[in-house]
Amino acid sequence: MKVLIVEDEPKLAGFIKKGLEEQAWEVDVAFDGQMGSSLALSNPYDVIVLDVNLPKINGFELAALLRRENIRTPILMLTALGTLNDKLAGFESGADDYLVKPFEFQELIVRLRALQKRNSESGPTSNVLKIANLELDLNERIARRDGHRIELTAKEFGLLEYFMRNRGRVVSRVDIAEKVWDIHFDTGTNTIDVYVNFLRKKIDKEFEHKLIHTVVGMGYILKE
């Protein structure tokens, strides 16, 4: 199971992350609502755990934003706000469950498993990475920009997926070689640059707003 934790208290976030990883779950952590939004919109998760009192975007606003973006991943609100009105606000914003701090860790595990099971039994969920008007459907292995399908080779698809999972972050040629090609980078070859150019022609050429950018001396970055 892959879980996103959006929690601004590093000690608590680290405690939850460690506990979930001991269950053999994969865990990402965001320390503010804006980072949480970016991760949730660009990565597929089985469950999202949201605090409410977050910097930049609070948990209620973030849950509502994700639902507007058609992200159907189950959301569990984990917060010290425990009044009935707080709980109602959480459910109205799009949360599927609500757990008040302080909490028993085993209860959190049980609730997350129940959410994941309920979601899996309801049928396959969308597994789509998005940035601007570019979408990458990981289930159907299809890329679209502005609604138009883009034909990609298997290697181009893998390269674009790596860029989208690392949106807003500079990735080096060494990173790409190791993560996409699964090889050690040979500085004497321009294979990476050639494939990036192939991808640019398909993703950016017909659009005024470019998404793939070169960072001289460092690598590439995918950003809006």
Side-chain angles (χ1 to χ4, degrees), residues 192-203:
I192 305 294
D193 302 303
V194 169
Y195 269 91
V196 171
N197 285 331
F198 286 158
L199 191 59
R200 271 179 163 152
K201 288 177 181 178
K202 294 183 177 183
I203 298 300

Side-chain angles (χ1 to χ4, degrees), residues 144-179:
R144 294 185 181 87
R145 184 156 185 194
D146 204 22
H148 300 289
R149 181 167 175 166
I150 300 169
E151 297 295 334
L152 299 175
T153 65
K155 192 58 67 179
E156 289 166 349
F157 188 95
L159 179 58
L160 181 57
E161 179 181 353
Y162 183 68
F163 276 139
M164 294 187 75
R165 289 189 182 278
N166 293 275
R167 54 185 288 178
R169 183 174 79 85
V170 176
V171 293
S172 68
R173 291 168 179 81
V174 173
D175 293 331
I176 295 170
E178 293 180 351
K179 302 298 184 181

Side-chain angles (χ1 to χ4, degrees), residues 124-139:
T125 57
S126 175
N127 199 2
V128 180
L129 304 181
K130 298 180 183 180
I131 178 172
N133 58 353
L134 176 64
E135 296 184 356
L136 193 67
D137 190 316
L138 302 180
N139 292 336

Side-chain angles (χ1 to χ4, degrees), residues 107-145:
E107 182 178 1
L108 175 64
I109 294 289
V110 170
R111 287 174 181 254
L112 293 180
R113 282 181 173 151
L115 287 174
Q116 189 271 341
K117 181 180 179 182
R118 189 189 315 161
N119 193 48
S120 63
E121 288 177 348
S122 67
T125 57
S126 175
N127 199 2
V128 180
L129 304 181
K130 298 180 183 180
I131 178 172
N133 58 353
L134 176 64
E135 296 184 356
L136 193 67
D137 190 316
L138 302 180
N139 292 336
E140 297 185 14
R141 311 292 289 180
I142 293 172
R144 294 185 181 87
R145 184 156 185 194

Side-chain angles (χ1 to χ4, degrees), residues 74-132:
I75 294 173
L76 181 143
M77 291 285 187
L78 183 62
T79 174
L81 302 179
T83 69
L84 177 59
N85 286 338
D86 292 325
K87 294 177 181 179
L88 291 175
F91 288 118
E92 288 173 1
S93 68
D96 299 275
D97 200 356
Y98 199 104
L99 183 59
V100 178
K101 301 174 185 174
F103 61 95
E104 294 291 337
F105 192 78
Q106 192 57 42
E107 182 178 1
L108 175 64
I109 294 289
V110 170
R111 287 174 181 254
L112 293 180
R113 282 181 173 151
L115 287 174
Q116 189 271 341
K117 181 180 179 182
R118 189 189 315 161
N119 193 48
S120 63
E121 288 177 348
S122 67
T125 57
S126 175
N127 199 2
V128 180
L129 304 181
K130 298 180 183 180
I131 178 172

Side-chain angles (χ1 to χ4, degrees), residues 3-7 13-14 17 27-31 35 39 45:
V3 181
L4 172 62
I5 300 168
V6 190
E7 168 61 62
K17 183 176 189 293
V27 183
D28 289 339
V29 177
F31 295 106
M35 185 189 302
L39 287 172
Y45 293 100

